[in-house]
Amino acid sequence: MPDFLQIADIPAEELAAILEDAHKSKQSRLGKPKGFVDPEAPFSDCVVALIFDKPSTRTRLSFDVGVHQLGGKSIVVSTESTHRARGESVKDTALVLSRYVDLIMIRTFEDDILNELAQYSDSPVINGLTDSNHPCQILGDIMTFEEHRGTIKNKKVVWVGDGNNVCNSFLQAAGKFGFSLTFCGPQEFDPDASEIANAQEQGAEVILERDPKNCIPEADLIVTDTWVSIHEDNNPNTKLNSDLKVYQVNSTMMKMAKSDALFMHCLPAHREKEVTSEVLDGPQSVVFDEAENRLHIQKSIMKWCMGLL
Ligand code: CP
Ligand code: NVA
């Protein structure tokens, strides 16, 4: 059964099937309590491990609730409480965990950890964020765009600020879904050159732009994220003292945008840093729909991994 490690690995038609299922499943639950178990309870025989090497609010809660809504059992594991924190290898952990659970979600640091876990686990593995990717977030964001504006194909997405892990996954999605991705930020924080090249190989238009005035007016979707990602928490000053300040998404920037351009941020946000409260709480912001849709899309991703789509 397939792993869900990065968007680039998954054929476009399979990504479309995951999205279609998530839209349908969300609709079918309208008005139901959060703890209502979906009638088919497709995970009634399923145990899922949710492993966290890094902090999380949305990913932790949405996967846990998602497994419950699918009728399954989840086990949330903070790595510091396990023997991995005392040096047990990722390989041995994978070999042990897949004797107990049917599916593993991990949020971790380097992609090598994710890939080694997937290599040695007999159970499928889902990437809940690494230093270089956040694929569940981006599928949830595309679901959110589709709810508000229809297909994202041929639309213009402008990523503002730091070319980070979330931005990398947007680049991979640009290739799969056929939208244009402009990175607008300082050159020193450009996204990975390999991610740009891969997106272009997939036929996506990728533009690197330094001046918001040259791209914001055309944008259908404006996205930003924190300037300092979790794996950079120990050394934030280079970024906080950098030119990133010019790229704050504020009302001056949004006044340049089309009135129907959407604003997204995966959260958590640092209000008045990369985005002002005026924008985050404003009429173009769909950030809490994004957060909700993590739940719906991840249920469909988990079903896909278990061969149930
Ligand atoms: N957006 C996101 O992944 O949030 P958490 O870090 O809270 O999981
Ligand atoms: N870029 C962020 C996303 C958090 C959800 C990080 O890795 O910190």
Side-chain angles (χ1 to χ4, degrees), residues 97-115:
L97 283 188
S98 49
R99 299 285 177 112
Y100 300 140
V101 303
D102 302 290
L103 179 60
I104 300 170
M105 190 287 308
I106 184 167
R107 163 168 290 198
T108 189
F109 291 89
E110 300 86 15
D111 276 44
D112 286 353
I113 300 173
L114 172 78
N115 293 332

Side-chain angles (χ1 to χ4, degrees), residues 93 124 135 144 232 240 253 264 308:
T93 306
T144 307
E232 301 166 321
L240 293 178
M253 188 181 283
M264 289 191 189
L308 297 173

Side-chain angles (χ1 to χ4, degrees), residues 207-224:
I207 298 165
L208 300 178
E209 175 59 63
R210 309 297 164 211
D211 187 346
K213 284 201 293 296
N214 294 335
C215 55
I216 294 294
E218 300 294 316
D220 298 295
L221 170 61
I222 297 162
V223 196
T224 195

Side-chain angles (χ1 to χ4, degrees), residues 142-264:
I142 291 173
M143 179 181 177
T144 307
F145 187 90
E146 290 178 348
E147 278 180 343
H148 285 270
R149 296 286 182 267
T151 180
I152 198 163
K153 190 174 169 62
N154 296 326
K155 294 290 194 301
K156 288 190 182 301
V157 177
V158 176
W159 178 280
V160 184
D162 179 29
N164 67 8
N165 45 2
V166 184
C167 181
N168 284 340
S169 289
F170 254 112
L171 277 165
Q172 293 189 8
K176 296 288 178 183
F177 290 89
F179 58 84
S180 155
L181 194 289
T182 299
F183 170 76
C184 182
Q187 185 173 5
E188 64 179 307
F189 301 122
D190 277 352
D192 293 350
S194 61
E195 296 287 5
I196 295 172
N198 289 341
Q200 287 170 329
E201 267 170 38
Q202 296 269 325
E205 180 182 58
V206 180
I207 298 165
L208 300 178
E209 175 59 63
R210 309 297 164 211
D211 187 346
K213 284 201 293 296
N214 294 335
C215 55
I216 294 294
E218 300 294 316
D220 298 295
L221 170 61
I222 297 162
V223 196
T224 195
D225 190 9
T226 53
W227 292 332
V228 178
S229 287
I230 305 165
H231 59 283
E232 301 166 321
D233 273 353
N234 292 334
N235 189 16
N237 289 334
T238 328
K239 281 185 148 174
L240 293 178
N241 298 326
S242 72
D243 292 343
L244 278 166
K245 286 178 188 156
V246 178
Y247 297 95
Q248 183 189 64
V249 182
N250 53 31
S251 57
T252 309
M253 188 181 283
M254 291 306 285
K255 277 192 190 107
M256 289 191 261
K258 295 189 282 193
S259 58
D260 66 349
L262 295 176
F263 170 74
M264 289 191 189

Side-chain angles (χ1 to χ4, degrees), residues 2-307:
D3 298 312
F4 185 86
L5 303 184
Q6 53 171 355
I7 286 176
D9 297 340
I10 301 163
E13 56 276 14
E14 308 242 348
L15 295 169
I18 293 170
L19 276 156
E20 190 187 338
D21 184 71
H23 283 296
K24 272 196 201 142
S25 158
K26 181 175 179 179
Q27 281 300 314
S28 75
R29 293 188 58 89
L30 285 177
K32 300 279 196 309
K34 311 285 189 295
F36 176 80
V37 175
D38 292 335
E40 327 81 70
F43 270 36
S44 56
D45 295 329
C46 229
V47 180
V48 184
L50 308 174
I51 304 172
F52 290 89
D53 294 358
K54 286 176 174 172
S56 165
T57 300
R58 279 142 288 268
T59 305
R60 186 178 302 240
L61 273 286
S62 57
F63 265 104
D64 202 356
V65 172
V67 173
H68 170 81
Q69 291 186 356
L70 292 171
K73 160 84 182 151
S74 59
I75 306 169
V76 181
V77 184
S78 292
T79 295
E80 66 264 22
S81 66
T82 72
H83 284 287
R84 265 187 66 222
R86 298 177 58 247
E88 186 168 21
S89 70
V90 175
K91 174 179 170 177
D92 290 351
T93 306
L95 292 169
V96 169
L97 283 188
S98 49
R99 299 285 177 112
Y100 300 140
V101 303
D102 302 290
L103 179 60
I104 300 170
M105 190 287 308
I106 184 167
R107 163 168 290 198
T108 189
F109 291 89
E110 300 86 15
D111 276 44
D112 286 353
I113 300 173
L114 172 78
N115 293 332
E116 196 177 341
L117 189 77
Q119 181 184 347
Y120 291 105
S121 168
D122 291 333
S123 305
V125 172
I126 296 174
N127 178 357
L129 181 143
T130 62
D131 295 353
S132 62
N133 266 286
H134 197 1
C136 295
Q137 180 70 50
I138 272 39
L139 277 201
D141 290 355
I142 291 173
M143 179 181 177
T144 307
F145 187 90
E146 290 178 348
E147 278 180 343
H148 285 270
R149 296 286 182 267
T151 180
I152 198 163
K153 190 174 169 62
N154 296 326
K155 294 290 194 301
K156 288 190 182 301
V157 177
V158 176
W159 178 280
V160 184
D162 179 29
N164 67 8
N165 45 2
V166 184
C167 181
N168 284 340
S169 289
F170 254 112
L171 277 165
Q172 293 189 8
K176 296 288 178 183
F177 290 89
F179 58 84
S180 155
L181 194 289
T182 299
F183 170 76
C184 182
Q187 185 173 5
E188 64 179 307
F189 301 122
D190 277 352
D192 293 350
S194 61
E195 296 287 5
I196 295 172
N198 289 341
Q200 287 170 329
E201 267 170 38
Q202 296 269 325
E205 180 182 58
V206 180
I207 298 165
L208 300 178
E209 175 59 63
R210 309 297 164 211
D211 187 346
K213 284 201 293 296
N214 294 335
C215 55
I216 294 294
E218 300 294 316
D220 298 295
L221 170 61
I222 297 162
V223 196
T224 195
D225 190 9
T226 53
W227 292 332
V228 178
S229 287
I230 305 165
H231 59 283
E232 301 166 321
D233 273 353
N234 292 334
N235 189 16
N237 289 334
T238 328
K239 281 185 148 174
L240 293 178
N241 298 326
S242 72
D243 292 343
L244 278 166
K245 286 178 188 156
V246 178
Y247 297 95
Q248 183 189 64
V249 182
N250 53 31
S251 57
T252 309
M253 188 181 283
M254 291 306 285
K255 277 192 190 107
M256 289 191 261
K258 295 189 282 193
S259 58
D260 66 349
L262 295 176
F263 170 74
M264 289 191 189
H265 187 310
C266 65
L267 305 177
H270 296 78
R271 287 172 179 261
E272 322 316 330
K273 293 271 195 319
E274 74 274 3
V275 59
T276 58
S277 289
E278 199 178 356
V279 172
L280 200 71
D281 300 325
Q284 286 163 273
S285 170
V286 290
V287 299
F288 298 106
D289 293 338
E290 289 178 81
E292 175 180 344
N293 286 335
R294 293 289 304 281
L295 167 65
H296 303 295
I297 201 74
Q298 288 160 188
K299 286 171 65 184
S300 301
I301 291 169
M302 288 191 280
K303 286 198 263 179
W304 178 79
C305 288
M306 297 306 295

